[in-house]
């Protein structure tokens, strides 16, 4: 947190913004006014604007507790807090006057609006942007920063900001063990934001409504409210707050460098190609500088089951004998099979139909992205998954890519009747995996990389892929950089590393053409600045792929940037696309990455002051070795097609 942000004094006050509203001030600046609402599953609702205020408690730290009671017997307690660091937060609790149990699918602890005579441009300008954070990263979802508009929705957090001066207001959930959360532009007023606990829709890939939560008292998630001069600092501050609650899963082995089989081989994967790829990395790439801590990982992806068990064990042993490590793949929450009557491996006498997640009528949920969700609370699913994970550990693998994780969090009727929501289910599923793959259980460091996973709950893997599948064309470069533009702050905070997906330098199985050298350079650079996981993926039976990889993957200085695990910060937002410029300070030296992904020739310019760079600095461009100097506070680059440069202060 920056010094100027630590010195602010936040305070709540009730009633000034209108009946049933409270206001939040930041020093003497009015940030917002808000009220709260909730609904009971029996159809009753409560809204603080129309209910009676029966209790008001002002705390010495500036916090406030407001208790409302409706004529229908519902009670809504709004808890407005300020922690020791001065960070405001809010949550609401639903109960009933007679002490009976309540049940709810949705609590809205904050319905935010500008308030009377609010001076902030954020509430006045039609140019105000709202960051739309996707629930997960499947099916090529991406981040967007768009003007406020009725119905626009961001999952778990958002930040409102101005492009020109970067002033920002962030609202973000602090709890992820029960509710799916969202911040939604009201359907009746785009400048009113509904901050909701209890959202299940097309954005979360749910076919059923959000599960209901019963209890004498049912609380929403807590939500932080942050304000500052730079929305980027607010996102980093939010990440720090989450990290204080749920530390990223610890990893002491450094950034993984290696190979993933999917883009290069897909279902052409076999034992010989896997073995030869390991040899290529070991004998041709590692001596030239493609490695970290003198090792590489050689990772299997989907399709590995064509290799017999005995052969897998032998191949992994060979890698270990040569100082390398081995990775494998699984989709533990998703059923891709065609016949649900097929017997479950490792669970004799039972079939897959028994462990599929079902709707209230007992029918399996529809497929999402090709797969039906498993019920991760079912004992047979646990038995099946334990059988798989035990084999991976026994076969001596060191790394697992677990894919299609969002399926574990879908709403449905779970075997464990205490599990009422998708978030409760996925939290149990993650814990089940972690308990069997942590270092103590596995007997060695075992890297867990989440792929196609919700952003939250966080910290349940060492890395999380911050985009969907990304290959090697200019479009893939832009897509990865879209994630870097809006998710850079998650690396080292929500997860130990952001994973920019496998690095295809020549041609993936799905591409119609070879990538250009500029595309390869840009794709590699985009991964090196991500925070990061470095997994190559090409078909090395092609001599051109070997040559391309030796040329681009063995730059020692760029690999040192990647091994630092520093995630570069974007200079600008970019609506639904990506920023062209990213900066970082690594070992006390300024670094700048510039990108271009259009086919035509263009001049890319960076205002050094706007980027927060020291003036008059000399740089070395790490791909070419050329010396660069900013001219009158500007860095200029004539980009010819898709390409990238990476500058490091001399």
């Amino acid at each position: 947190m920056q010094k100027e942000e630590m010195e602010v004094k936040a305070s709540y006050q009730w009633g000034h913004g209108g009946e049933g509203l409270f206001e939040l001030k930041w020093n003497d600046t009015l940030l917002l006014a808000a009220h709260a609402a909730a609904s009971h599953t029996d159809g009753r609702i409560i809204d603080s604007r129309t209910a009676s205020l029966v209790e008001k408690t002002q705390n010495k730290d500036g916090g406030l507790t407001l208790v409302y009671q409706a004529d229908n017997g519902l009670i809504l307690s709004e808890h407005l807090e300020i922690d020791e660091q001065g960070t405001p937060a809010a949550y609401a609790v639903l109960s009933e006057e007679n002490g009976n149990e309540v049940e709810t699918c949705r609590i809205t602890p904050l319905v935010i609006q500008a308030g009377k005579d609010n001076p902030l441009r954020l509430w006045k300008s039609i140019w105000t942007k709202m960051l739309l954070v996707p629930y997960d990263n499947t099916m090529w979802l991406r981040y967007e920063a768009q003007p406020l508009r009725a119905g626009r929705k961001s999952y778990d957090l958002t930040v409102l900001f101005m492009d020109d001066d970067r002033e920002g207001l962030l609202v973000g959930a602090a709890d992820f063990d029960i509710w799916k959360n969202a911040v939604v532009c009201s359907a009746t007023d785009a400048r009113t934001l509904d901050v909701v606990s209890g959202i299940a829709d097309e954005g979360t890939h749910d076919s059923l409504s959000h599960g209901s939560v019963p209890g004498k008292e049912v609380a929403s998630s807590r939500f932080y409210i942050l304000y500052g001069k730079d929305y980027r600092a607010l996102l980093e501050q939010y990440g720090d707050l989450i990290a204080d609650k749920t530390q990223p899963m610890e990893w002491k082995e450094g950034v993984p460098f290696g190979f993933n089989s999917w883009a290069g081989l897909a279902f052409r994967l076999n034992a010989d190609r896997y073995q030869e790829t390991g040899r290529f990395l070991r004998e041709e790439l590692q001596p030239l500088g493609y490695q970290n801590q003198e090792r590489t990982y050689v990772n299997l992806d989907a399709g590995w089951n064509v290799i017999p068990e005995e052969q897998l064990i032998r191949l992994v042993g060979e890698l270990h004998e040569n100082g390398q490590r081995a990775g494998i793949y699984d989709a533990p929450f998703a059923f891709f099979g065609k016949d649900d009557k097929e017997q479950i491996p490792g669970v004799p006498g039972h079939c897959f139909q028994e462990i599929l997640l079902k709707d209230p009528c007992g029918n399996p949920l529809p497929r999402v992205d090709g797969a039906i969700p498993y019920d991760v609370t079912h004992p047979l699913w646990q038995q099946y998954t334990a059988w798989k994970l035990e084999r991976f550990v026994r076969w001596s693998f060191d790394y697992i890519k677990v894919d299609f994780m969002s399926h574990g969090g879908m709403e449905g009727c779970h075997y464990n009747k205490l599990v009422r929501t998708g978030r409760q289910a996925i939290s149990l599923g993650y814990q089940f995996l972690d308990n069997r793959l942590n270092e103590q259980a596995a007997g060695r460091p075992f890297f867990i990389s989440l792929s196609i996973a919700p952003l939250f709950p966080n910290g349940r893997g060492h890395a999380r892929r911050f985009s969907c599948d990304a290959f090697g064309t200019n479009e893939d470069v832009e897509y990865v950089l879209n994630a870097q533009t809006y998710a850079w702050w998650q690396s080292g905070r929500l997860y130990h590393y952001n994973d920019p997906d496998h690095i295809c330098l020549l041609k993936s199985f799905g591409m119609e053409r070879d990538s250009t050298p500029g595309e390869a350079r840009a794709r590699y650079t985009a991964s090196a600045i991500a925070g990061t996981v470095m997994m190559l993926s090409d078909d090395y039976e092609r001599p051109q792929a070997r040559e391309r990889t030796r040329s681009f993957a063995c730059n020692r200085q760029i690999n040192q940037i990647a091994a630092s695990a520093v995630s570069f910060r974007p200079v600008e937002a970019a609506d639904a696309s990506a920023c062209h410029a990213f900066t970082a300070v690594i070992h006390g030296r300024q670094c700048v990455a510039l990108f271009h992904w259009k086919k035509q020739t263009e001049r890319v310019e960076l205002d050094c002051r706007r980027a927060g760079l020291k003036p008059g600095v000399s740089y070395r461009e790490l791909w070419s070795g050329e010396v660069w100097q900013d001219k009158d506070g500007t860095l200029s680059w004539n980009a010819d097609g898709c390409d990238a440069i990476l500058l490091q202060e001399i």
Side-chain angles (χ1 to χ4, degrees):
M1 193 185 302
Q2 297 178 356
K3 183 178 179 182
E4 64 179 11
E5 294 172 324
M6 294 178 66
E7 293 175 348
V8 301
K9 177 65 174 177
S11 62
Y12 297 100
Q13 55 187 12
W14 178 82
H16 294 269
E19 196 67 32
L21 300 179
F22 73 87
E23 290 181 337
L24 175 61
K25 285 191 172 182
W26 199 269
N27 287 340
D28 294 326
T29 300
L30 174 61
L31 287 189
L32 55 88
H35 68 276
S39 60
H40 196 287
T41 54
D42 64 11
R44 287 179 292 166
I45 62 172
I46 183 170
D47 187 312
S48 66
R49 295 171 300 175
T50 55
S52 300
L53 179 69
V54 296
E55 184 179 334
K56 176 168 71 77
T57 305
Q58 187 83 51
N59 303 323
K60 292 181 180 180
D61 61 4
L64 186 62
T65 301
L66 304 169
V67 181
Y68 298 93
Q69 183 170 326
D71 293 340
N72 57 23
L74 293 180
I75 295 174
L76 189 63
S77 303
E78 191 162 29
H79 298 264
L80 310 172
E81 304 174 334
I82 296 176
D83 67 15
E84 295 178 353
Q85 287 73 43
T87 304
Y91 68 98
V93 178
L94 182 67
S95 60
E96 192 166 2
E97 63 177 330
N98 57 16
N100 289 341
E101 188 173 86
V102 294
E103 186 171 351
T104 179
C105 296
R106 175 173 293 201
I107 301 177
T108 307
L110 294 168
V111 181
I112 295 172
Q113 55 189 274
K116 293 180 179 179
D117 303 320
N118 194 308
L120 295 185
R121 288 177 63 214
L122 288 169
W123 293 112
K124 298 177 180 179
S125 175
I126 62 173
W127 293 339
T128 298
K129 298 290 180 62
M130 175 185 183
L131 177 60
L132 306 180
V133 177
Y135 169 76
D136 63 7
N137 50 15
T138 192
M139 295 181 280
W140 289 275
L141 289 169
R142 63 168 58 216
Y143 290 81
E144 298 183 48
Q146 299 289 0
L148 294 169
R149 190 179 73 188
R152 283 204 159 129
K153 187 179 302 177
S154 183
Y155 294 91
D156 287 307
L157 75 141
T158 192
V159 60
L160 306 184
F161 66 95
M162 303 297 300
D163 272 324
D164 53 2
D165 63 5
R166 300 195 181 106
E167 178 188 31
L169 173 65
L170 181 146
V171 181
D175 308 311
F176 313 98
D177 52 354
I178 296 176
W179 300 102
K180 292 172 183 167
N181 307 295
V183 182
V184 187
C185 284
S186 168
T188 57
D189 181 1
R191 295 189 179 279
T192 295
L193 298 178
D194 296 335
V195 182
V196 179
S197 285
I199 198 88
D201 56 15
E202 67 282 355
T204 61
H205 322 299
D206 281 300
S207 56
L208 301 178
S209 60
H210 196 283
S212 62
V213 181
K216 294 281 187 180
E217 295 184 335
V218 180
S220 72
S221 298
R222 291 172 69 244
F223 288 86
Y224 295 119
I225 307 168
L226 305 174
Y227 170 74
K229 294 180 179 179
D230 189 333
Y231 73 91
R232 301 173 303 169
L234 297 182
L235 287 164
E236 291 166 352
Q237 182 183 346
Y238 173 69
D240 290 336
L241 290 168
I242 299 299
D244 286 343
K245 288 172 59 70
T246 53
Q247 291 292 326
M249 189 177 290
E250 187 177 32
W251 182 252
K252 300 178 181 178
E253 308 293 308
V255 169
F257 278 60
F259 171 85
N260 173 275
S261 65
W262 183 245
L265 297 174
F267 294 112
R268 294 181 62 248
L269 176 65
N270 60 31
D272 290 341
R273 293 186 177 108
Y274 180 61
Q275 182 181 40
E276 178 57 25
T277 297
R279 189 206 64 77
F280 173 64
L281 265 67
R282 179 174 66 248
E283 297 182 6
E284 299 190 45
L285 299 187
Q286 287 186 216
L288 296 176
Y290 185 77
Q291 51 84 19
N292 189 22
Q293 299 185 10
E294 299 184 352
R295 60 173 168 260
T296 52
Y297 290 76
V298 190
N299 293 351
L300 299 163
D301 205 287
W304 63 264
N305 51 2
V306 300
I307 306 175
E309 176 178 345
E310 305 77 25
Q311 209 166 9
L312 272 177
I313 295 172
R314 179 177 59 79
L315 291 170
V316 172
E318 178 183 297
L319 291 171
H320 286 171
E321 289 172 6
N322 288 286
Q324 293 174 289
R325 292 186 176 177
I328 200 163
Y329 171 95
D330 193 43
F333 296 166
F335 173 71
F336 283 91
K338 302 303 181 186
D339 181 8
D340 62 9
K341 301 300 192 297
E342 182 182 346
Q343 181 171 289
I344 305 171
V347 190
H350 296 278
C351 65
F352 282 108
Q353 197 275 337
E354 297 176 70
I355 61 174
L356 300 181
L357 188 59
K358 299 177 178 67
D359 65 20
C361 297
N363 300 311
L365 295 187
R367 292 181 184 266
V368 175
D369 208 6
I372 303 172
Y374 286 128
D375 179 356
V376 300
T377 74
H378 201 293
L380 296 178
W381 175 86
Q382 295 171 356
Q383 185 178 341
Y384 171 48
T385 305
W387 173 80
K388 289 191 290 182
L389 300 182
E390 185 276 332
R391 292 196 307 165
F392 299 157
V393 171
R394 177 166 48 84
W395 293 345
S396 297
F397 282 97
D398 312 282
Y399 184 119
I400 186 169
K401 173 184 172 182
V402 282
D403 208 353
F404 296 93
M405 306 306 285
S406 297
H407 286 68
M410 291 180 186
E411 305 299 321
C413 297
H414 292 88
Y415 178 91
N416 183 345
K417 300 308 177 187
L418 296 177
V419 175
R420 305 292 292 264
T421 73
R423 276 262 162 95
Q424 290 175 316
I426 196 171
S427 295
L428 289 176
Y430 275 140
Q431 191 62 55
F432 188 86
L433 301 181
D434 295 346
N435 287 344
R436 284 152 183 81
L437 295 178
N438 63 49
E439 186 170 351
Q440 183 177 0
R444 59 186 177 276
F446 203 111
F447 192 86
I448 302 173
S449 182
L450 307 180
S451 186
I452 304 186
L455 179 57
F456 296 106
N458 62 294
R460 309 314 291 264
H462 298 103
R464 173 183 177 269
R465 201 174 69 184
F466 65 4
S467 68
C468 193
D469 293 16
F471 302 101
T473 68
N474 60 327
E475 294 179 3
D476 298 294
V477 170
E478 184 273 342
Y479 180 57
V480 170
L481 292 176
N482 169 265
Q484 185 68 28
T485 300
Y486 297 113
W488 86 95
W489 56 274
Q490 298 165 16
S491 188
R493 294 181 175 93
L494 305 189
Y495 299 89
H496 206 91
Y497 305 119
N498 279 348
D499 181 350
D501 202 21
H502 45 27
I503 309 166
C504 182
L505 295 176
L506 185 67
K507 187 177 186 296
S508 80
F509 73 94
M511 292 167 59
E512 297 180 355
R513 61 173 178 84
D514 290 352
S515 60
T516 66
E519 287 173 320
R521 185 163 31 248
R523 185 66 186 87
Y524 198 89
T525 306
S527 292
I529 69 168
T532 188
V533 175
M534 300 292 288
M535 291 294 148
L536 301 170
S537 194
D538 268 292
D539 180 0
Y540 298 124
E541 288 183 336
R542 289 189 64 189
Q544 301 95 320
R546 291 173 180 255
E547 180 182 354
R548 175 70 64 84
T549 302
R550 284 190 293 263
S551 298
F552 287 96
C554 299
N555 185 311
R556 295 180 187 273
Q557 290 176 300
I558 290 175
N559 289 341
Q560 288 171 2
I561 296 286
S564 74
V566 174
S567 182
F568 281 48
R569 194 192 220 195
V571 174
E572 305 288 357
D575 296 341
S577 186
C579 181
H580 287 272
F582 301 82
T583 65
V585 176
I586 300 176
H587 305 309
R589 293 197 284 178
Q590 288 184 165
C591 298
V592 181
L594 299 179
F595 294 89
H596 184 257
W597 50 82
K598 296 179 181 178
K599 295 181 179 179
Q600 65 267 32
T601 300
E602 287 186 326
R603 188 175 184 84
V604 178
E605 292 191 343
L606 178 65
D607 182 328
C608 295
R609 182 175 181 179
R610 172 76 172 169
L613 300 173
K614 296 179 296 185
V617 171
S618 296
Y619 298 91
R620 188 171 305 282
E621 203 286 297
L622 299 184
W623 286 110
S624 65
E626 296 176 356
V627 175
W628 285 55
Q629 181 79 37
D630 72 82
K631 297 178 181 179
D632 299 322
T634 301
L635 287 169
S636 298
W637 170 46
N638 291 321
D640 185 9
C642 183
D643 212 333
I645 60 173
L646 184 52
L647 306 174
Q648 185 176 55
E649 182 180 356
I650 298 175

